[in-house]
Amino acid sequence: MAPPTTTPKRAKQRRGEGQWALGYREPLNPNERSKKDDNPLNVRDRIENIYAHGGFDSIDPADLRGRFRWYGLYTQRKPGIDGGRTATLDPEELDDEYFMLRIRIDGGAVTTQQLAVIGEISQTYARDTADITDRQNIQYHWIRIEDMPVIWQKLEAAGMTTMEACGDSPRVILGSPVAGIAEDEIVDGTPAIEAIRNTYIGDKAFSNLPRKFKTAISGLQDVAHEVHDVAFVGVVHPEHGPGFDVWVGGGLSTNPMLGKRLGAWVPLDEVPKVWEAVISVFRDYGYRRLRHRARIKFLVADWGPEKFREVMEEKYLGYRMIDGPAPQIPEVVLDHVGVHRQKDGKFYVGAAPIAGRVSGSILVEVAKAAERAGSTRVRFTPQQKLLVLDVAEPEVPALRAELTKLGLHTDPSPWRRGVMACTGIEFCKLAIVETKARAAELVSAMEQRLADVQAGVEHPVTVHINGCPNSCARIQTADIGLKGQIVTDEDGNQVEGFQVHLGGGLGLDAGFGRKLRGHKVTGAELSGYVERVVRNYVKQRSEGERFAQWVQRADEADLK
């Protein structure tokens, strides 16, 4: 008797991810459809010629909540909506008739003249609001659509732009705040940053990416390179000399991943070409079906760095990059706060506001103070700080005094120095809790409560506060990362609070914070909680032990 025939099982067909290079050109979600219907860079013409005249109610919703981002514009949160309603309301219920606006400042570099213009725009059109972000740029609030044409006119007359400050585009490029002046810099990445900005920003070939694309280029390790889509890190090749090590696939938010080394060394003049190859791979092979999987980190995780490099070289570069060594990790985190000698003998002075919160008036006064000290250059940092460059030694004391009067401390407490915060519920439609005011309260409380231990901690504890899970303030890579959410207090009330991440870091401690199961802290408990954990650390740490190292071995009871 013949054996029964069996039908072989079909291999499971994998669902298409919307990758253009594999033939998936038809949009698979509303965001992709919007970008295909009209290139987002075209929206500026409508803003200037239609919306600025017709006002908020004349704006097409597809532009308002989509294409506007390519010019740095987001609607801000309508006042009075509590965080518990963030996820339950429709966008039009959350939208205020005012906008948040980001200026694109590649490398965080401005002249004092540009800084004065930034401040004056804030005073005139943004109710004096201005925040230094951890993307090294300035963010305004209370912007009216009617004022955008004149704001662009003023910015562009001073050599600045808002183009591709947001959106599914190549966003602002992070660069070392001390590029070109640091005594220990391996290579100055400024020419590469300028070449990329001048060649590719505004190019419609790269204005429709699967999601945002973040770049960092530094001859030092001071730009959080591990959490960028692409990063170029200064390193010395034993045969070819100074150049850059290439990293791809980093990013945080709800699925944090550290970037992967491609194992390639790139000379300065080839950085733009290699950057173009990386972003082209992302554009053509990136996942466009699901927004939450559309960042380059998911492609790198699936392919691995070896395949990613191979595709880059074979399909886009046309040559094999030189293999190179990994950069040596510095022993301390570089935030450039304080007074430091430049390689030309002058000094730069780094000052710390609280969580980046300044104002237009403060920035105008910083520009004046810098010029009185003989400087024409200011830079913002990825830690929400600012630097005044090129100060002659006799001018340093007077400059420090002027900055301190403005609330910008050049010798700050560890808490002012180590606290970062995102925009929070004050203006952001995604936020669940307050952040900026909470950061200021925490700094004040810790300066009083922990005054007796500050001098004894050679590795200041960083605290990053985020208003939602998206990690704009890099909570997973802080010593104490706080993710805003609604929690239940001891009386059963729903209040603002935080999920706690402990012991994250970059550099020597590169990795994500430890989460304690079920552990939440209310806003009212926050200062007491931070004090308790830090005192446990100071009491238990061994000599030279960093907070992240201590967290890995600490008893859970000492972390609560």
Side-chain angles (χ1 to χ4, degrees):
M1 182 176 179
T5 58
T6 58
T7 303
K9 291 184 178 180
R10 289 184 178 181
K12 187 175 181 181
Q13 184 71 28
R14 185 170 182 178
R15 192 172 182 182
E17 292 279 9
Q19 295 162 284
W20 284 0
L22 302 185
Y24 294 99
R25 300 291 301 199
E26 188 60 28
L28 297 175
N29 61 53
N31 300 84
E32 291 299 309
R33 168 57 62 189
S34 176
K35 290 182 288 183
K36 183 176 182 179
D37 288 345
D38 184 50
N39 191 292
L41 291 176
N42 295 334
V43 78
R44 176 164 172 170
D45 182 69
R46 292 192 289 278
I47 292 173
E48 292 181 316
N49 296 306
I50 301 174
Y51 305 144
H53 301 283
F56 187 86
D57 291 338
S58 70
I59 303 172
D60 185 316
D63 287 340
L64 179 67
R65 301 183 190 95
R67 303 182 190 103
F68 270 28
R69 298 177 185 181
W70 274 251
Y71 281 93
L73 286 160
Y74 285 85
T75 49
Q76 68 185 38
R77 187 188 191 92
K78 190 177 294 182
I81 300 176
D82 66 76
R85 301 173 66 199
T86 295
T88 64
L89 297 179
D90 292 329
E92 58 269 19
E93 295 178 282
L94 286 165
D95 286 337
D96 200 358
E97 294 188 2
Y98 296 93
F99 293 86
M100 177 196 80
L101 175 65
R102 290 179 187 156
I103 305 174
R104 182 185 187 101
I105 305 174
D106 294 291
V110 292
T111 65
T112 50
Q113 181 183 19
Q114 289 173 325
L115 186 62
V117 171
I118 291 170
E120 290 162 4
I121 290 173
S122 168
Q123 292 172 319
T124 306
Y125 303 104
R127 301 188 187 181
D128 208 28
T129 59
D131 289 333
I132 303 170
T133 78
D134 61 4
R135 301 298 304 166
Q136 291 183 284
N137 56 11
I138 292 292
Q139 184 168 287
Y140 296 131
H141 299 284
W142 300 112
I143 297 293
R144 302 187 319 141
I145 196 64
E146 292 89 341
D147 295 324
M148 281 309 304
V150 69
I151 290 173
W152 279 325
Q153 183 181 20
K154 290 178 179 293
L155 286 172
E156 289 165 4
M160 294 179 287
T161 184
T162 69
M163 183 186 292
E164 296 183 325
C166 308
D168 298 348
S169 66
R171 297 192 180 186
V172 62
I173 303 167
L174 264 59
S176 173
V178 293
I181 64 169
E183 291 185 307
D184 55 349
E185 182 179 47
I186 292 173
V187 58
D188 181 0
T190 303
I193 293 175
E194 292 177 346
I196 292 169
R197 180 189 63 209
N198 296 336
T199 305
Y200 301 104
I201 303 309
D203 184 345
K204 291 184 178 180
F206 300 101
S207 63
N208 179 358
L209 304 176
R211 281 290 299 275
K212 68 184 78 170
F213 187 78
K214 296 182 177 181
T215 303
I217 302 173
S218 177
L220 297 167
Q221 294 180 48
D222 54 356
V223 290
H225 65 272
E226 298 99 326
V227 294
H228 278 76
D229 296 290
V230 62
F232 297 85
V233 184
V235 68
V236 177
H237 192 285
E239 297 177 23
H240 302 285
F244 294 92
D245 189 44
V246 187
W247 297 54
V248 296
L252 296 176
S253 193
T254 53
N255 289 283
M257 300 182 194
L258 294 178
K260 307 289 196 302
R261 292 185 60 243
L262 293 185
W265 176 89
V266 177
L268 176 63
D269 61 353
E270 290 184 17
V271 169
K273 184 185 297 186
V274 173
W275 181 91
E276 181 185 4
V278 174
I279 198 173
S280 297
V281 172
F282 179 44
R283 178 195 60 199
D284 298 344
Y285 289 91
Y287 303 151
R288 294 176 182 262
R289 181 169 66 87
L290 300 175
R291 291 285 288 176
H292 71 271
R293 271 182 53 82
R295 293 290 296 276
I296 195 175
K297 63 186 178 183
F298 294 99
L299 180 65
V300 174
D302 288 348
W303 277 9
E306 296 82 6
K307 179 178 177 180
F308 192 96
R309 176 175 171 174
E310 180 182 339
V311 172
M312 271 181 64
E313 293 172 336
E314 292 185 357
K315 294 185 178 294
Y316 297 94
L317 280 176
Y319 63 87
R320 179 172 172 79
M321 293 180 286
I322 299 170
D323 293 338
Q328 185 176 354
I329 300 173
E331 294 184 3
V332 296
V333 175
L334 302 174
D335 66 5
H336 307 301
V337 173
V339 179
H340 304 270
R341 184 181 295 276
Q342 300 177 180
K343 64 183 181 182
D344 63 1
K346 292 185 177 181
F347 291 80
Y348 67 87
V349 180
I354 295 178
R357 175 56 55 90
V358 286
S359 69
S361 297
I362 288 174
L363 296 180
V364 169
E365 293 303 316
V366 170
K368 293 177 181 178
E371 289 177 351
R372 282 192 290 269
S375 172
T376 60
R377 296 197 293 171
V378 173
R379 290 183 182 166
F380 304 117
T381 83
Q383 292 80 30
Q384 301 179 326
K385 311 298 190 291
L386 66 81
L387 315 182
V388 177
L389 310 188
D390 309 326
V391 182
E393 187 170 10
E395 304 296 334
V396 169
L399 175 62
R400 293 183 67 186
E402 289 196 69
L403 293 174
T404 300
K405 287 180 182 178
L406 296 171
L408 305 172
H409 293 220
T410 60
D411 186 19
S413 71
W415 308 105
R416 176 184 284 262
R417 186 169 186 165
V419 167
M420 288 189 2
C422 72
T423 300
I425 201 171
E426 181 181 11
F427 297 115
C428 180
K429 293 185 299 180
L430 301 177
I432 301 168
V433 304
E434 171 59 52
T435 56
K436 294 290 190 184
R438 187 82 67 192
E441 293 169 2
L442 181 64
V443 168
S444 178
M446 293 303 98
E447 286 177 342
Q448 296 178 43
R449 292 180 179 221
L450 291 170
D452 60 314
V453 302
Q454 288 178 15
V457 182
E458 66 264 35
H459 300 289
V461 177
T462 58
V463 182
H464 294 187
I465 305 173
N466 220 78
C468 77
N470 288 325
S471 201
C472 294
R474 303 198 293 265
I475 53 173
Q476 295 101 328
T477 60
D479 289 319
I480 301 176
L482 301 167
K483 182 177 78 174
Q485 55 186 227
I486 301 300
V487 302
T488 304
D489 67 12
E490 291 182 351
D491 299 323
N493 301 311
Q494 296 290 291
V495 298
E496 289 190 0
F498 301 91
Q499 181 187 61
V500 181
H501 299 243
L502 295 173
L506 299 174
L508 289 173
D509 299 308
F512 304 127
R514 174 180 175 184
K515 291 185 287 187
L516 306 181
R517 186 180 299 275
H519 182 54
K520 307 290 190 295
V521 177
T522 69
E525 298 169 334
L526 185 58
S527 295
Y529 170 73
V530 172
E531 178 187 10
R532 184 166 63 251
V533 171
V534 171
R535 286 193 181 279
N536 287 340
Y537 161 56
V538 172
K539 181 180 178 180
Q540 298 177 14
R541 70 191 179 101
S542 58
E543 184 176 355
E545 187 175 32
R546 300 181 300 278
F547 186 86
Q549 296 173 306
W550 170 75
V551 166
Q552 295 305 311
R553 66 175 181 81
D555 291 338
E556 191 167 299
D558 293 322
L559 301 176
K560 291 185 175 181

PDB file of all heavy atoms in Angstrom, residues 529-553:
ATOM      1  N   TYR A 529      13.053  60.893  47.876  1.00  0.00           N
ATOM      2  CA  TYR A 529      13.544  59.658  47.275  1.00  0.00           C
ATOM      3  C   TYR A 529      14.972  59.830  46.759  1.00  0.00           C
ATOM      4  O   TYR A 529      15.853  59.003  47.036  1.00  0.00           O
ATOM      5  CB  TYR A 529      12.629  59.211  46.143  1.00  0.00           C
ATOM      6  CG  TYR A 529      13.221  58.084  45.334  1.00  0.00           C
ATOM      7  CD1 TYR A 529      13.288  56.791  45.866  1.00  0.00           C
ATOM      8  CD2 TYR A 529      13.768  58.315  44.084  1.00  0.00           C
ATOM      9  CE1 TYR A 529      13.871  55.756  45.152  1.00  0.00           C
ATOM     10  CE2 TYR A 529      14.349  57.294  43.356  1.00  0.00           C
ATOM     11  CZ  TYR A 529      14.402  56.015  43.898  1.00  0.00           C
ATOM     12  OH  TYR A 529      14.992  54.995  43.198  1.00  0.00           O
ATOM     13  N   VAL A 530      15.216  60.905  45.996  1.00  0.00           N
ATOM     14  CA  VAL A 530      16.554  61.124  45.448  1.00  0.00           C
ATOM     15  C   VAL A 530      17.573  61.266  46.571  1.00  0.00           C
ATOM     16  O   VAL A 530      18.666  60.686  46.524  1.00  0.00           O
ATOM     17  CB  VAL A 530      16.572  62.352  44.520  1.00  0.00           C
ATOM     18  CG1 VAL A 530      18.000  62.686  44.102  1.00  0.00           C
ATOM     19  CG2 VAL A 530      15.709  62.099  43.288  1.00  0.00           C
ATOM     20  N   GLU A 531      17.235  62.009  47.612  1.00  0.00           N
ATOM     21  CA  GLU A 531      18.156  62.160  48.742  1.00  0.00           C
ATOM     22  C   GLU A 531      18.477  60.804  49.369  1.00  0.00           C
ATOM     23  O   GLU A 531      19.645  60.495  49.653  1.00  0.00           O
ATOM     24  CB  GLU A 531      17.548  63.081  49.804  1.00  0.00           C
ATOM     25  CG  GLU A 531      18.470  63.227  51.026  1.00  0.00           C
ATOM     26  CD  GLU A 531      17.839  63.994  52.168  1.00  0.00           C
ATOM     27  OE1 GLU A 531      16.623  64.264  52.121  1.00  0.00           O
ATOM     28  OE2 GLU A 531      18.561  64.299  53.144  1.00  0.00           O
ATOM     29  N   ARG A 532      17.461  59.986  49.565  1.00  0.00           N
ATOM     30  CA  ARG A 532      17.659  58.692  50.214  1.00  0.00           C
ATOM     31  C   ARG A 532      18.584  57.791  49.397  1.00  0.00           C
ATOM     32  O   ARG A 532      19.521  57.178  49.939  1.00  0.00           O
ATOM     33  CB  ARG A 532      16.290  58.019  50.402  1.00  0.00           C
ATOM     34  CG  ARG A 532      16.328  56.705  51.155  1.00  0.00           C
ATOM     35  CD  ARG A 532      14.933  56.301  51.595  1.00  0.00           C
ATOM     36  NE  ARG A 532      14.015  56.053  50.487  1.00  0.00           N
ATOM     37  CZ  ARG A 532      12.988  56.852  50.166  1.00  0.00           C
ATOM     38  NH1 ARG A 532      12.745  57.961  50.856  1.00  0.00           N
ATOM     39  NH2 ARG A 532      12.196  56.544  49.163  1.00  0.00           N
ATOM     40  N   VAL A 533      18.364  57.711  48.095  1.00  0.00           N
ATOM     41  CA  VAL A 533      19.178  56.847  47.247  1.00  0.00           C
ATOM     42  C   VAL A 533      20.617  57.353  47.178  1.00  0.00           C
ATOM     43  O   VAL A 533      21.573  56.562  47.257  1.00  0.00           O
ATOM     44  CB  VAL A 533      18.567  56.743  45.838  1.00  0.00           C
ATOM     45  CG1 VAL A 533      19.517  56.016  44.891  1.00  0.00           C
ATOM     46  CG2 VAL A 533      17.240  56.002  45.890  1.00  0.00           C
ATOM     47  N   VAL A 534      20.786  58.667  47.048  1.00  0.00           N
ATOM     48  CA  VAL A 534      22.142  59.219  46.954  1.00  0.00           C
ATOM     49  C   VAL A 534      22.899  59.010  48.258  1.00  0.00           C
ATOM     50  O   VAL A 534      24.097  58.678  48.254  1.00  0.00           O
ATOM     51  CB  VAL A 534      22.094  60.705  46.561  1.00  0.00           C
ATOM     52  CG1 VAL A 534      23.489  61.331  46.670  1.00  0.00           C
ATOM     53  CG2 VAL A 534      21.558  60.859  45.149  1.00  0.00           C
ATOM     54  N   ARG A 535      22.232  59.175  49.391  1.00  0.00           N
ATOM     55  CA  ARG A 535      22.911  58.931  50.671  1.00  0.00           C
ATOM     56  C   ARG A 535      23.302  57.467  50.805  1.00  0.00           C
ATOM     57  O   ARG A 535      24.380  57.138  51.340  1.00  0.00           O
ATOM     58  CB  ARG A 535      22.022  59.376  51.830  1.00  0.00           C
ATOM     59  CG  ARG A 535      21.937  60.887  51.976  1.00  0.00           C
ATOM     60  CD  ARG A 535      21.325  61.307  53.307  1.00  0.00           C
ATOM     61  NE  ARG A 535      21.234  62.757  53.406  1.00  0.00           N
ATOM     62  CZ  ARG A 535      22.245  63.559  53.744  1.00  0.00           C
ATOM     63  NH1 ARG A 535      23.439  63.030  54.033  1.00  0.00           N
ATOM     64  NH2 ARG A 535      22.085  64.869  53.805  1.00  0.00           N
ATOM     65  N   ASN A 536      22.474  56.559  50.338  1.00  0.00           N
ATOM     66  CA  ASN A 536      22.843  55.137  50.361  1.00  0.00           C
ATOM     67  C   ASN A 536      24.082  54.887  49.501  1.00  0.00           C
ATOM     68  O   ASN A 536      24.978  54.127  49.873  1.00  0.00           O
ATOM     69  CB  ASN A 536      21.680  54.281  49.869  1.00  0.00           C
ATOM     70  CG  ASN A 536      20.548  54.198  50.877  1.00  0.00           C
ATOM     71  OD1 ASN A 536      20.743  54.453  52.070  1.00  0.00           O
ATOM     72  ND2 ASN A 536      19.359  53.853  50.418  1.00  0.00           N
ATOM     73  N   TYR A 537      24.115  55.536  48.351  1.00  0.00           N
ATOM     74  CA  TYR A 537      25.279  55.404  47.467  1.00  0.00           C
ATOM     75  C   TYR A 537      26.540  55.928  48.143  1.00  0.00           C
ATOM     76  O   TYR A 537      27.582  55.245  48.174  1.00  0.00           O
ATOM     77  CB  TYR A 537      25.008  56.157  46.164  1.00  0.00           C
ATOM     78  CG  TYR A 537      26.228  56.507  45.353  1.00  0.00           C
ATOM     79  CD1 TYR A 537      27.121  55.524  44.934  1.00  0.00           C
ATOM     80  CD2 TYR A 537      26.487  57.827  44.987  1.00  0.00           C
ATOM     81  CE1 TYR A 537      28.240  55.851  44.180  1.00  0.00           C
ATOM     82  CE2 TYR A 537      27.607  58.166  44.229  1.00  0.00           C
ATOM     83  CZ  TYR A 537      28.485  57.177  43.836  1.00  0.00           C
ATOM     84  OH  TYR A 537      29.583  57.504  43.093  1.00  0.00           O
ATOM     85  N   VAL A 538      26.474  57.129  48.703  1.00  0.00           N
ATOM     86  CA  VAL A 538      27.651  57.724  49.342  1.00  0.00           C
ATOM     87  C   VAL A 538      28.131  56.865  50.507  1.00  0.00           C
ATOM     88  O   VAL A 538      29.331  56.700  50.733  1.00  0.00           O
ATOM     89  CB  VAL A 538      27.330  59.157  49.801  1.00  0.00           C
ATOM     90  CG1 VAL A 538      28.467  59.728  50.646  1.00  0.00           C
ATOM     91  CG2 VAL A 538      27.062  60.051  48.601  1.00  0.00           C
ATOM     92  N   LYS A 539      27.188  56.283  51.227  1.00  0.00           N
ATOM     93  CA  LYS A 539      27.526  55.461  52.390  1.00  0.00           C
ATOM     94  C   LYS A 539      28.166  54.131  51.990  1.00  0.00           C
ATOM     95  O   LYS A 539      29.098  53.643  52.649  1.00  0.00           O
ATOM     96  CB  LYS A 539      26.260  55.206  53.210  1.00  0.00           C
ATOM     97  CG  LYS A 539      26.486  54.380  54.467  1.00  0.00           C
ATOM     98  CD  LYS A 539      25.166  54.188  55.210  1.00  0.00           C
ATOM     99  CE  LYS A 539      25.345  53.315  56.452  1.00  0.00           C
ATOM    100  NZ  LYS A 539      24.047  53.125  57.174  1.00  0.00           N
ATOM    101  N   GLN A 540      27.697  53.541  50.904  1.00  0.00           N
ATOM    102  CA  GLN A 540      28.086  52.175  50.558  1.00  0.00           C
ATOM    103  C   GLN A 540      29.162  52.077  49.480  1.00  0.00           C
ATOM    104  O   GLN A 540      29.777  51.013  49.324  1.00  0.00           O
ATOM    105  CB  GLN A 540      26.853  51.402  50.081  1.00  0.00           C
ATOM    106  CG  GLN A 540      25.767  51.260  51.129  1.00  0.00           C
ATOM    107  CD  GLN A 540      24.544  50.546  50.588  1.00  0.00           C
ATOM    108  OE1 GLN A 540      24.590  49.924  49.522  1.00  0.00           O
ATOM    109  NE2 GLN A 540      23.435  50.637  51.308  1.00  0.00           N
ATOM    110  N   ARG A 541      29.402  53.117  48.753  1.00  0.00           N
ATOM    111  CA  ARG A 541      30.309  53.012  47.605  1.00  0.00           C
ATOM    112  C   ARG A 541      31.739  52.754  48.048  1.00  0.00           C
ATOM    113  O   ARG A 541      32.185  53.206  49.108  1.00  0.00           O
ATOM    114  CB  ARG A 541      30.253  54.294  46.770  1.00  0.00           C
ATOM    115  CG  ARG A 541      30.877  55.500  47.451  1.00  0.00           C
ATOM    116  CD  ARG A 541      30.557  56.776  46.686  1.00  0.00           C
ATOM    117  NE  ARG A 541      31.149  57.924  47.392  1.00  0.00           N
ATOM    118  CZ  ARG A 541      32.269  58.514  47.029  1.00  0.00           C
ATOM    119  NH1 ARG A 541      32.925  58.080  45.972  1.00  0.00           N
ATOM    120  NH2 ARG A 541      32.748  59.535  47.712  1.00  0.00           N
ATOM    121  N   SER A 542      32.454  52.068  47.199  1.00  0.00           N
ATOM    122  CA  SER A 542      33.879  51.885  47.419  1.00  0.00           C
ATOM    123  C   SER A 542      34.615  53.046  46.762  1.00  0.00           C
ATOM    124  O   SER A 542      34.029  53.833  46.022  1.00  0.00           O
ATOM    125  CB  SER A 542      34.346  50.552  46.839  1.00  0.00           C
ATOM    126  OG  SER A 542      34.055  50.476  45.450  1.00  0.00           O
ATOM    127  N   GLU A 543      35.901  53.163  47.022  1.00  0.00           N
ATOM    128  CA  GLU A 543      36.659  54.300  46.506  1.00  0.00           C
ATOM    129  C   GLU A 543      36.622  54.350  44.983  1.00  0.00           C
ATOM    130  O   GLU A 543      36.930  53.368  44.308  1.00  0.00           O
ATOM    131  CB  GLU A 543      38.113  54.224  46.980  1.00  0.00           C
ATOM    132  CG  GLU A 543      38.948  55.429  46.574  1.00  0.00           C
ATOM    133  CD  GLU A 543      40.355  55.374  47.133  1.00  0.00           C
ATOM    134  OE1 GLU A 543      40.643  54.440  47.928  1.00  0.00           O
ATOM    135  OE2 GLU A 543      41.171  56.242  46.767  1.00  0.00           O
ATOM    136  N   GLY A 544      36.213  55.498  44.461  1.00  0.00           N
ATOM    137  CA  GLY A 544      36.166  55.688  43.014  1.00  0.00           C
ATOM    138  C   GLY A 544      34.982  55.043  42.326  1.00  0.00           C
ATOM    139  O   GLY A 544      34.875  55.117  41.097  1.00  0.00           O
ATOM    140  N   GLU A 545      34.099  54.404  43.056  1.00  0.00           N
ATOM    141  CA  GLU A 545      32.980  53.688  42.446  1.00  0.00           C
ATOM    142  C   GLU A 545      31.920  54.673  41.963  1.00  0.00           C
ATOM    143  O   GLU A 545      31.445  55.521  42.703  1.00  0.00           O
ATOM    144  CB  GLU A 545      32.359  52.714  43.451  1.00  0.00           C
ATOM    145  CG  GLU A 545      31.286  51.818  42.835  1.00  0.00           C
ATOM    146  CD  GLU A 545      30.781  50.774  43.819  1.00  0.00           C
ATOM    147  OE1 GLU A 545      30.755  51.083  45.032  1.00  0.00           O
ATOM    148  OE2 GLU A 545      30.409  49.669  43.385  1.00  0.00           O
ATOM    149  N   ARG A 546      31.546  54.529  40.708  1.00  0.00           N
ATOM    150  CA  ARG A 546      30.520  55.386  40.131  1.00  0.00           C
ATOM    151  C   ARG A 546      29.128  54.892  40.507  1.00  0.00           C
ATOM    152  O   ARG A 546      28.942  53.720  40.829  1.00  0.00           O
ATOM    153  CB  ARG A 546      30.674  55.454  38.605  1.00  0.00           C
ATOM    154  CG  ARG A 546      32.030  56.019  38.164  1.00  0.00           C
ATOM    155  CD  ARG A 546      32.117  56.100  36.644  1.00  0.00           C
ATOM    156  NE  ARG A 546      31.974  54.796  35.998  1.00  0.00           N
ATOM    157  CZ  ARG A 546      32.947  53.924  35.848  1.00  0.00           C
ATOM    158  NH1 ARG A 546      34.171  54.191  36.308  1.00  0.00           N
ATOM    159  NH2 ARG A 546      32.735  52.770  35.244  1.00  0.00           N
ATOM    160  N   PHE A 547      28.165  55.800  40.425  1.00  0.00           N
ATOM    161  CA  PHE A 547      26.797  55.463  40.807  1.00  0.00           C
ATOM    162  C   PHE A 547      26.282  54.249  40.033  1.00  0.00           C
ATOM    163  O   PHE A 547      25.676  53.343  40.612  1.00  0.00           O
ATOM    164  CB  PHE A 547      25.882  56.678  40.566  1.00  0.00           C
ATOM    165  CG  PHE A 547      24.468  56.495  41.052  1.00  0.00           C
ATOM    166  CD1 PHE A 547      24.132  56.782  42.363  1.00  0.00           C
ATOM    167  CD2 PHE A 547      23.476  56.049  40.195  1.00  0.00           C
ATOM    168  CE1 PHE A 547      22.822  56.621  42.816  1.00  0.00           C
ATOM    169  CE2 PHE A 547      22.166  55.887  40.632  1.00  0.00           C
ATOM    170  CZ  PHE A 547      21.848  56.176  41.951  1.00  0.00           C
ATOM    171  N   ALA A 548      26.524  54.216  38.727  1.00  0.00           N
ATOM    172  CA  ALA A 548      26.037  53.109  37.904  1.00  0.00           C
ATOM    173  C   ALA A 548      26.635  51.776  38.347  1.00  0.00           C
ATOM    174  O   ALA A 548      25.954  50.735  38.331  1.00  0.00           O
ATOM    175  CB  ALA A 548      26.345  53.367  36.434  1.00  0.00           C
ATOM    176  N   GLN A 549      27.891  51.788  38.749  1.00  0.00           N
ATOM    177  CA  GLN A 549      28.519  50.564  39.243  1.00  0.00           C
ATOM    178  C   GLN A 549      27.891  50.119  40.554  1.00  0.00           C
ATOM    179  O   GLN A 549      27.649  48.926  40.765  1.00  0.00           O
ATOM    180  CB  GLN A 549      30.021  50.795  39.429  1.00  0.00           C
ATOM    181  CG  GLN A 549      30.782  51.085  38.153  1.00  0.00           C
ATOM    182  CD  GLN A 549      32.218  51.474  38.441  1.00  0.00           C
ATOM    183  OE1 GLN A 549      32.493  52.396  39.209  1.00  0.00           O
ATOM    184  NE2 GLN A 549      33.159  50.762  37.826  1.00  0.00           N
ATOM    185  N   TRP A 550      27.647  51.071  41.437  1.00  0.00           N
ATOM    186  CA  TRP A 550      27.042  50.742  42.730  1.00  0.00           C
ATOM    187  C   TRP A 550      25.638  50.168  42.548  1.00  0.00           C
ATOM    188  O   TRP A 550      25.266  49.188  43.207  1.00  0.00           O
ATOM    189  CB  TRP A 550      26.992  51.984  43.613  1.00  0.00           C
ATOM    190  CG  TRP A 550      26.172  51.805  44.848  1.00  0.00           C
ATOM    191  CD1 TRP A 550      26.513  51.107  45.978  1.00  0.00           C
ATOM    192  CD2 TRP A 550      24.855  52.311  45.086  1.00  0.00           C
ATOM    193  NE1 TRP A 550      25.495  51.148  46.899  1.00  0.00           N
ATOM    194  CE2 TRP A 550      24.464  51.889  46.383  1.00  0.00           C
ATOM    195  CE3 TRP A 550      23.975  53.089  44.331  1.00  0.00           C
ATOM    196  CZ2 TRP A 550      23.225  52.208  46.920  1.00  0.00           C
ATOM    197  CZ3 TRP A 550      22.741  53.416  44.875  1.00  0.00           C
ATOM    198  CH2 TRP A 550      22.374  52.975  46.155  1.00  0.00           C
ATOM    199  N   VAL A 551      24.861  50.744  41.629  1.00  0.00           N
ATOM    200  CA  VAL A 551      23.486  50.279  41.412  1.00  0.00           C
ATOM    201  C   VAL A 551      23.462  48.805  41.023  1.00  0.00           C
ATOM    202  O   VAL A 551      22.584  48.050  41.460  1.00  0.00           O
ATOM    203  CB  VAL A 551      22.793  51.137  40.327  1.00  0.00           C
ATOM    204  CG1 VAL A 551      21.502  50.461  39.835  1.00  0.00           C
ATOM    205  CG2 VAL A 551      22.471  52.520  40.876  1.00  0.00           C
ATOM    206  N   GLN A 552      24.426  48.382  40.241  1.00  0.00           N
ATOM    207  CA  GLN A 552      24.428  46.990  39.777  1.00  0.00           C
ATOM    208  C   GLN A 552      24.587  45.992  40.922  1.00  0.00           C
ATOM    209  O   GLN A 552      24.099  44.858  40.834  1.00  0.00           O
ATOM    210  CB  GLN A 552      25.538  46.785  38.745  1.00  0.00           C
ATOM    211  CG  GLN A 552      25.337  47.567  37.467  1.00  0.00           C
ATOM    212  CD  GLN A 552      23.995  47.292  36.810  1.00  0.00           C
ATOM    213  OE1 GLN A 552      23.595  46.138  36.627  1.00  0.00           O
ATOM    214  NE2 GLN A 552      23.278  48.352  36.462  1.00  0.00           N
ATOM    215  N   ARG A 553      25.227  46.407  42.014  1.00  0.00           N
ATOM    216  CA  ARG A 553      25.432  45.462  43.114  1.00  0.00           C
ATOM    217  C   ARG A 553      24.580  45.780  44.338  1.00  0.00           C
ATOM    218  O   ARG A 553      24.552  45.004  45.296  1.00  0.00           O
ATOM    219  CB  ARG A 553      26.909  45.458  43.531  1.00  0.00           C
ATOM    220  CG  ARG A 553      27.392  46.776  44.134  1.00  0.00           C
ATOM    221  CD  ARG A 553      28.823  46.664  44.640  1.00  0.00           C
ATOM    222  NE  ARG A 553      29.319  47.904  45.239  1.00  0.00           N
ATOM    223  CZ  ARG A 553      29.059  48.294  46.485  1.00  0.00           C
ATOM    224  NH1 ARG A 553      28.293  47.519  47.283  1.00  0.00           N
ATOM    225  NH2 ARG A 553      29.546  49.429  46.959  1.00  0.00           N
TER     226      ARG A 553
END
